[in-house]
Amino acid sequence: MTVDASVHLTYVVTWQEISDGLKIQMRHSQVGRWCYRILWGLVAFLVLVTAANVVTRGVDAVGVGAWRLVLIACLSLVAVRWLMALALLGYARHLGEHQVTVDDSGIRTISERHTNDTGWKFYGRCVEDRRVFVLLTPDVWGTGVLILPKRGLDAPQDSERLRELFARHIAAA
């Protein structure tokens, strides 16, 4: 008798889960980390220039355009990920409810409008958050992303079985 080592998830994706997945992608891909550093560097530079201008010339010397630029740079750090998550949410909702099966052969995703089978060699690593498991491709961009919400698991002990499957197969790939 064989033991069924598969793990099943059933869920409709939420905005928060997509946002968490994008945040993880940004932090765990080489290019994502550099882009994030560049954005923070730009914001720090703009704030420093504006602060120096205020100290040397006074608040009236800094034009409205400069304040807008600093505000836009600061908001873009947060808003870019939120807007991307919102755009992806529309696509995920179009697909409908997701039924995912993870087993030794790979990952099978079935939705109302799409079916996909992915082998283990496609993904290079798995990162876990308190809400989601995120599988990333090994390329520098980390472009291939699969977000698996923990709330979609059939049973609480499936979380540990899923970790074991990821550890066994992603490390081997």
Side-chain angles (χ1 to χ4, degrees):
M1 183 167 113
T2 61
V3 177
D4 183 22
S6 64
V7 176
H8 301 280
L9 296 97
T10 304
Y11 58 88
V12 175
V13 181
T14 66
W15 175 84
Q16 184 64 52
E17 292 159 350
I18 294 174
S19 181
D20 288 350
L22 291 174
K23 179 172 61 175
I24 288 171
Q25 179 192 26
M26 180 82 101
R27 288 184 179 165
H28 291 276
S29 70
Q30 185 178 358
V31 173
R33 285 190 299 270
W34 277 105
C35 289
Y36 201 66
R37 288 176 189 146
I38 289 169
L39 276 175
W40 271 112
L42 175 64
V43 168
F45 176 74
L46 290 172
V47 167
L48 182 65
V49 167
T50 304
N53 207 4
V54 167
V55 168
T56 58
R57 298 184 186 167
V59 175
D60 296 337
V62 180
V64 174
W67 289 113
R68 270 193 220 141
L69 188 60
V70 169
L71 181 63
I72 288 170
C74 291
L75 290 176
S76 69
L77 286 171
V78 176
V80 167
R81 188 179 80 234
W82 288 354
L83 293 173
M84 284 175 57
L86 195 58
L88 288 172
L89 179 64
Y91 173 69
R93 291 282 166 93
H94 171 73
L95 293 176
E97 182 180 77
H98 292 69
Q99 296 178 354
V100 179
T101 303
V102 181
D103 58 22
D104 289 324
S105 65
I107 302 164
R108 180 171 181 81
T109 305
I110 300 172
S111 70
E112 295 170 12
R113 294 182 174 86
H114 186 265
T115 300
N116 185 34
D117 286 312
T118 307
W120 286 111
K121 291 183 180 184
F122 185 74
Y123 295 107
R125 64 184 165 239
C126 175
V127 181
E128 183 178 355
D129 187 312
R130 65 185 176 97
R131 279 190 278 264
V132 294
F133 289 99
V134 179
L135 298 174
L136 300 166
T137 54
D139 59 299
V140 313
W141 291 92
T143 51
V145 178
L146 177 63
I147 301 168
L148 299 172
K150 291 180 180 179
R151 66 176 172 77
L153 293 167
D154 289 342
Q157 65 270 19
D158 286 346
S159 186
E160 189 56 41
R161 289 179 37 215
L162 198 54
R163 280 186 205 98
E164 290 171 8
L165 280 166
F166 293 151
R168 185 169 60 238
H169 292 290
I170 290 179

